C-alpha cells in the first residue's frame, strides 16, 4: 500500500506538470471547461432545434441529457487518461521501461497520472452544471441537491471508472499507437449503453440488458438523483425509476469491488506480457 | 569536359555526370506522396485492433446521438441529419490528430529531421499524409453512414448526386488544406500544440453544427464557424440529402456554399504552402526542428 501511495503521488505530480504547465492556471481552467461545456451545448441545441419546430413528443429530456453528458465528460477523460499515459511514456518520453524496472508500483503510478489529468475537471464539471442551471434553465438548485448521496455516488463512480481505465491501460500496453484513442473510443461506445444521452428504454431489449449490466448506467442515474429533484419522474421513462436509491448504492459498491477484482490481476498480466514480448519500449508512429 | 566554378567556394569542380538524368521534380513529388500515404493505408491493416477501436466504437458513439432524437420521437430525417454529421466527425478528428498534430508528433519521434533531409517538398509529405488519412477515414465514415442508415431506416431524398459528391470532395479538399495549415503552424509549437488541438475538437463539433443544423446558432456564429470547411460542407450536403426538412434550416444556398468552399480550398492550400515555408525557416532559425519533449 505504501508503495502504491508513493507511486501515486509521483505519478500525480508528474501528470499535473505534464498536463498543466504549458500555460497559466487560469487559462488551463478555461481550457478544461471547453469539453463539458461544448458537449452540454450540443445536446441543448439538438433538443431545442426540435422543440422550436414542434417536432417533439414526450417529456423535455434536456435536464436528463445535460446532466448525463456533462458528468460523462469525467468518464471520457479518466478512461482515456491512463491509456494515454502508457502511450506517452512508452512512445513519446521513452520512459515506461524505466518505471517498469524500478521497484515502484506501475499501478499506483498510472492512477496518479490518470487523476492528474481529470483533477481540473472536478472543477470544470460543477462550473458547467452551474452554467446550465443559470443560463439554460437546467433545474439544479443548491437547496435541492442531495449532498450525502452526491458524495457517495461520486466516490464510488470514480473508483469504478478508475478501475475500468486501468483495464484499458493494460490493453494499451500490448497494442500499437493507433489505439491512441482507445479510451475515447471506449467511452464513446459506452455512451450507447450507459443512458448518458438518452433513457436506456429507447434501446432494443437485448441492448437494455447490456446497459443494465454496465455499472456506469447506475452511476449516472445516481448522479441525476443527487443533482436533480425530478430525476425519478416516470415521465422520463428511464427504466430505473423503480430501483430504490439504497439498492442503487449497493450495486455501485458491488461494481467497484468487481472492477477491482478484474483490473488488478489484468494489469499484472498485461505488464508481464508486455515484458515478455518486448513491448515496453515499442515505438509505433504512422 | 566542361568545368564549372562553384559560386560559394570559387574552386573548380567537375559537373555531376548524373545531373539531369534523375527523376523529375514532379516524379519526386508524387513518389513522396505515395511514400507518405503508404504507411497510413497499409499500417491500418497490420494492426487489427484499429478496426475495432477506430470503426466499430465511433460507430456506436454516433448511434448514441441518433438515439437522442429517437428518444424524443423526432422524424427520421432529423436522425439522418445527425448521422451525416456523425460520419463527418471522422474527418475532423483525422485532420486534427493526424494532420495538424503530425509534424509536431514527427518532431517528437525524430522523424521530422528525416523529412527535412529528404530531397522532396514538404507539401508532398503533407499531401501524402492527407491522402493516406483520407482513405482510412472514408472507410470509417462510410461504415457509420451505411450502418446507421440501415439500422434507423433513414431515407435520403437526394436528386442531385453529382452535386453531392462534388460538395463532399470540395469540403474535404478545403478541410485537409486547413489541416496542412494547422500542421505548419504547430511545427513551431511546443506541448501547447497538443492542448490547442484538443481545444479545437468539441467546440468545433458545436459551432459547426455536426449534430444539428448550423443555422440554429444564428447568422453571426454560423458565419464565423464557416472558416471550418465542414460547416458549409455539412450544411450543403444536408440540403442535398434532406431538401424538404432543410428548407427551414438552410444557412446559405448550395451554390454559394460550393463557391465559398472552392475559395477556402484554394486559400488554405496557398496559405498552407506559405506558412509551411515560413514556419520551417523559423524553426530552423530557432533550432526547434530537433527539439523533443518541450
Amino acid at each position: 500500500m505504501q508503495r502504491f501511495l508513493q507511486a501515486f503521488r509521483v505519478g500525480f505530480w508528474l501528470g499535473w506538470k505534464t498536463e498543466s504547465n504549458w500555460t497559466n492556471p487560469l487559462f488551463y481552467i478555461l481550457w478544461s471547461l471547453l469539453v463539458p461545456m461544448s458537449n452540454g451545448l450540443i445536446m441543448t441545441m439538438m433538443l431545442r432545434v426540435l422543440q422550436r419546430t414542434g417536432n417533439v413528443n414526450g417529456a423535455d429530456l434536456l435536464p436528463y441529457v445535460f446532466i448525463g453528458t456533462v458528468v460523462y465528460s469525467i468518464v471520457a477523460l479518466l478512461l482515456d487518461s491512463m491509456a494515454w499515459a502508457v502511450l506517452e511514456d512508452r512512445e513519446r518520453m521513452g520512459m515506461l521501461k524505466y518505471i517498469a524496472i524500478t521497484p515502484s508500483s506501475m499501478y499506483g503510478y498510472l492512477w496518479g497520472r490518470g487523476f492528474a489529468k481529470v483533477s481540473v475537471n472536478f472543477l470544470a464539471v460543477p462550473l458547467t452544471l452551474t452554467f446550465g442551471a443559470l443560463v439554460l434553465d437546467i433545474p439544479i438548485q443548491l437547496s435541492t441537491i442531495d449532498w450525502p448521496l452526491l458524495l457517495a455516488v461520486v466516490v464510488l463512480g470514480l473508483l469504478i471508472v478508475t478501475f475500468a481505465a486501468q483495464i484499458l491501460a493494460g490493453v494499451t500496453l500490448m497494442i500499437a499507437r493507433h489505439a491512441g484513442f482507445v479510451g475515447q473510443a471506449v467511452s464513446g461506445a459506452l455512451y450507447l449503453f450507459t443512458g448518458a444521452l438518452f433513457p436506456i428504454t429507447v434501446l432494443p431489449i437485448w441492448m437494455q440488458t447490456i446497459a443494465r449490466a454496465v455499472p456506469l448506467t447506475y452511476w449516472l442515474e445516481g448522479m441525476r438523483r443527487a443533482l436533480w429533484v425530478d430525476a425519478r419522474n416516470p415521465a422520463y421513462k428511464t427504466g430505473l425509476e423503480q430501483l430504490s436509491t439504497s439498492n442503487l448504492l449497493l450495486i455501485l459498491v458491488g461494481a467497484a469491488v468487481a472492477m477491482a477484482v478484474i483490473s488488478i490481476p489484468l494489469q499484472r498480466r498485461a505488464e508481464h506480457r508486455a515484458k515478455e514480448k518486448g513491448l515496453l519500449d515499442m515505438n509505433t508512429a504512422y | 569536359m566542361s568545368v564549372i566554378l562553384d559560386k560559394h567556394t570559387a574552386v573548380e569542380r567537375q559537373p555531376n555526370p548524373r545531373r539531369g538524368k534523375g527523376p523529375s521534380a514532379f516524379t519526386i513529388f508524387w513518389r513522396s506522396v505515395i511514400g507518405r500515404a503508404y504507411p497510413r493505408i497499409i499500417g491500418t491493416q497490420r494492426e487489427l485492433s484499429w478496426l475495432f477501436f477506430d470503426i466499430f466504437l465511433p460507430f456506436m458513439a454516433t448511434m448514441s446521438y441518433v438515439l437522442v432524437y429517437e428518444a424524443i420521437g423526432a422524424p427520421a430525417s432529423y436522425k439522418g441529419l445527425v448521422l451525416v454529421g456523425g460520419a463527418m466527425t471522422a474527418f475532423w478528428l483525422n485532420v486534427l490528430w493526424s494532420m495538424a498534430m503530425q509534424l509536431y508528433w514527427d518532431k517528437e519521434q525524430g522523424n521530422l529531421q528525416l523529412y527535412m533531409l529528404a530531397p522532396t517538398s514538404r507539401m508532398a509529405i503533407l499531401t501524402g499524409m492527407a491522402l493516406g488519412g483520407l482513405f482510412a477515414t472514408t472507410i470509417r465514415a462510410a461504415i457509420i453512414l451505411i450502418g446507421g442508415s440501415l439500422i434507423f431506416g433513414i431515407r435520403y431524398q437526394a436528386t442531385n448526386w453529382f452535386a453531392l459528391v462534388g460538395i463532399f470532395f470540395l469540403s474535404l479538399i478545403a478541410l485537409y488544406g486547413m489541416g496542412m495549415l494547422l500542421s505548419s503552424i504547430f511545427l513551431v509549437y511546443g506541448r501547447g500544440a497538443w492542448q490547442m488541438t484538443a481545444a479545437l475538437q468539441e467546440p468545433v463539433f458545436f459551432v459547426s453544427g455536426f449534430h444539428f443544423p448550423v443555422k440554429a446558432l444564428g447568422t453571426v456564429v454560423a458565419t464565423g464557424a464557416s472558416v471550418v470547411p465542414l460547416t458549409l460542407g455539412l450544411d450543403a450536403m444536408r440540403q442535398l440529402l434532406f431538401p424538404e426538412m432543410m428548407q427551414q434550416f438552410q444557412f446559405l444556398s448550395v451554390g454559394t456554399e460550393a463557391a465559398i468552399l472552392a475559395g477556402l480550398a484554394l486559400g488554405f492550400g496557398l496559405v498552407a504552402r506559405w506558412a509551411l515555408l515560413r514556419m520551417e525557416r523559423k524553426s530552423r532559425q530557432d533550432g526547434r526542428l530537433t527539439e523533443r519533449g518541450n
Side-chain angles (χ1 to χ4, degrees):
Chain A
M1 192 63 189
Q2 195 186 353
R3 270 198 333 167
F4 175 88
L5 288 175
Q6 200 173 20
F8 178 87
R9 189 173 53 80
V10 171
F12 188 90
W13 177 83
L14 179 65
W16 175 256
K17 292 284 181 196
T18 313
E19 292 299 324
S20 67
N21 73 356
W22 56 276
T23 185
N24 64 61
L26 183 65
F27 186 76
Y28 183 56
I29 290 169
L30 288 175
W31 173 82
S32 67
L33 275 172
L34 286 174
V35 172
M37 192 75 88
S38 302
N39 286 339
L41 287 170
I42 286 170
M43 301 320 300
T44 307
M45 287 308 297
M46 281 180 72
L47 297 181
R48 291 288 180 248
V49 160
L50 274 188
Q51 283 166 349
R52 274 183 216 163
T53 53
N55 276 311
V56 62
N57 301 318
D60 180 9
L61 280 175
L62 184 58
Y64 180 96
V65 173
F66 189 85
I67 294 173
T69 195
V70 171
V71 170
Y72 196 83
S73 63
I74 290 185
V75 177
L77 256 185
L78 196 49
L79 280 181
D80 193 42
S81 60
M82 288 192 206
W84 188 249
V86 167
L87 286 173
E88 196 170 50
D89 285 359
R90 184 180 72 193
E91 311 218 355
R92 188 168 163 227
M93 307 297 183
M95 57 173 277
L96 193 68
K97 51 183 178 284
Y98 301 118
I99 294 166
I101 60 172
T102 63
S104 70
S105 153
M106 191 185 280
Y107 206 83
Y109 172 78
L110 289 175
W111 271 52
R113 291 292 305 268
F115 270 90
K117 190 161 185 167
V118 291
S119 54
V120 77
N121 252 50
F122 296 136
L123 187 62
V125 167
L127 283 176
T128 309
L129 290 171
T130 309
F131 170 82
L134 298 176
V135 180
L136 304 172
D137 288 334
I138 306 296
I140 300 173
Q141 292 169 347
L142 285 177
S143 57
T144 57
I145 293 175
D146 185 341
W147 293 100
L149 177 64
L150 183 65
L151 183 68
V153 171
V154 165
V155 171
L156 287 169
L158 285 179
L159 278 175
I160 292 168
V161 182
T162 310
F163 284 125
Q166 187 69 57
I167 293 173
L168 292 183
V171 171
T172 309
L173 266 176
M174 297 183 285
I175 55 179
R177 187 176 83 91
H178 348 262
F181 305 110
V182 58
Q184 282 182 20
V186 171
S187 63
L190 281 177
Y191 251 159
L192 194 60
F193 293 112
T194 54
L197 301 185
F198 50 83
I200 57 170
T201 48
V202 177
L203 296 167
I205 298 295
W206 66 271
M207 286 173 93
Q208 284 186 41
T209 311
I210 298 174
R212 286 174 198 279
V214 175
L216 292 177
T217 307
Y218 301 96
W219 183 50
L220 291 173
E221 175 67 14
M223 289 296 286
R224 286 194 187 96
R225 286 187 190 183
L227 292 168
W228 175 32
V229 75
D230 203 28
R232 289 182 75 177
N233 188 334
Y236 299 113
K237 296 176 188 158
T238 61
L240 297 170
E241 57 268 12
Q242 302 296 327
L243 183 70
S244 71
T245 303
S246 53
N247 281 347
L248 186 136
L249 284 171
L250 274 177
I251 291 172
L252 288 177
V253 171
V257 173
M259 292 299 283
V261 168
I262 295 168
S263 82
I264 294 169
L266 199 134
Q267 165 72 18
R268 286 194 184 133
R269 176 82 190 126
E271 257 183 77
H272 184 72
R273 198 168 164 76
K275 279 181 192 169
E276 225 173 35
K277 296 183 81 178
L279 302 176
L280 283 176
D281 59 351
M282 179 166 65
N283 202 332
T284 50
Y286 300 146
Chain B
M1 186 182 283
S2 65
V3 172
I4 58 170
L5 198 65
D6 188 296
K7 65 178 180 181
H8 297 299
T9 57
V11 292
E12 286 181 357
R13 65 177 173 85
Q14 298 299 317
N16 183 352
R18 283 189 58 78
R19 193 177 176 89
K21 292 179 184 174
S24 67
F26 181 80
T27 309
I28 291 175
F29 185 93
W30 284 106
R31 276 185 189 169
S32 308
V33 169
I34 294 165
R36 189 62 191 89
Y38 179 84
R40 292 213 159 175
I41 296 166
I42 301 301
T44 54
Q45 297 169 26
R46 289 193 181 153
E47 178 65 48
L48 290 177
S49 64
W50 176 86
L51 291 175
F52 181 72
F53 288 116
D54 220 29
I55 294 181
F56 182 63
L57 297 182
F59 172 73
M60 289 164 76
T62 303
M63 294 305 103
S64 306
Y65 282 99
V66 180
L67 281 166
V68 174
Y69 275 171
E70 180 87 11
I72 48 177
S77 53
Y78 282 80
K79 294 173 210 163
L81 180 147
V82 178
L83 192 63
V84 172
M88 297 304 282
T89 57
F91 292 103
W92 178 240
L93 291 176
N94 185 252
V95 160
L96 273 185
W97 294 105
S98 298
M99 282 294 296
M101 279 298 295
Q102 190 63 39
L103 290 186
Y104 166 77
W105 185 259
D106 282 330
K107 185 166 66 172
E108 293 286 312
Q109 297 284 327
N111 286 340
L112 188 66
Q113 43 200 301
L114 301 178
Y115 293 161
M116 295 298 165
L117 286 171
T120 185
S121 148
R122 256 59 82 191
M123 282 300 278
I125 290 168
L126 286 176
T127 308
M129 243 191 258
L131 289 178
L134 250 175
F135 173 81
T137 311
T138 303
I139 294 173
R140 173 175 157 180
I143 288 174
I144 291 174
L145 201 60
I146 295 168
S149 302
L150 291 174
I151 290 170
F152 293 102
I154 293 161
R155 297 268 177 274
Y156 299 98
Q157 303 146 8
T159 50
N160 192 345
W161 287 98
F162 178 75
L164 184 68
V165 173
I167 290 283
F168 174 74
F169 281 110
L170 211 47
S171 307
L172 291 188
I173 293 168
L175 182 70
Y176 279 83
M178 185 188 197
M180 288 180 180
L181 174 62
L182 290 173
S183 181
S184 46
I185 291 171
F186 288 171
L187 187 62
V188 290
Y189 267 65
R191 276 182 303 124
W194 190 270
Q195 322 294 349
M196 286 301 126
T197 307
L200 283 172
Q201 190 173 305
E202 267 84 6
V204 168
F205 286 160
F206 173 61
V207 295
S208 293
F210 275 75
H211 302 97
F212 54 85
V214 72
K215 194 189 175 188
L217 290 172
T219 310
V220 175
V221 177
T223 305
S226 299
V227 73
V228 178
L230 281 180
T231 307
L232 295 178
L234 262 174
D235 192 66
M237 281 188 274
R238 283 170 175 158
Q239 286 183 52
L240 292 165
L241 287 168
F242 310 104
E244 213 172 284
M245 183 203 65
M246 283 299 288
Q247 273 175 358
Q248 54 186 326
F249 294 122
Q250 175 188 329
F251 173 48
L252 297 171
S253 70
V254 173
T256 310
E257 288 175 337
I260 296 173
L261 283 172
L264 285 174
L266 186 68
F268 277 131
L270 291 174
V271 177
R273 189 172 182 278
W274 172 81
L276 189 61
L277 290 171
R278 197 173 165 82
M279 296 301 170
E280 185 186 326
R281 194 164 60 238
K282 183 170 167 49
S283 298
R284 283 177 195 272
Q285 281 168 351
D286 298 348
R288 304 192 73 169
L289 285 178
T290 53
E291 189 181 51
R292 295 178 69 184
N294 180 24

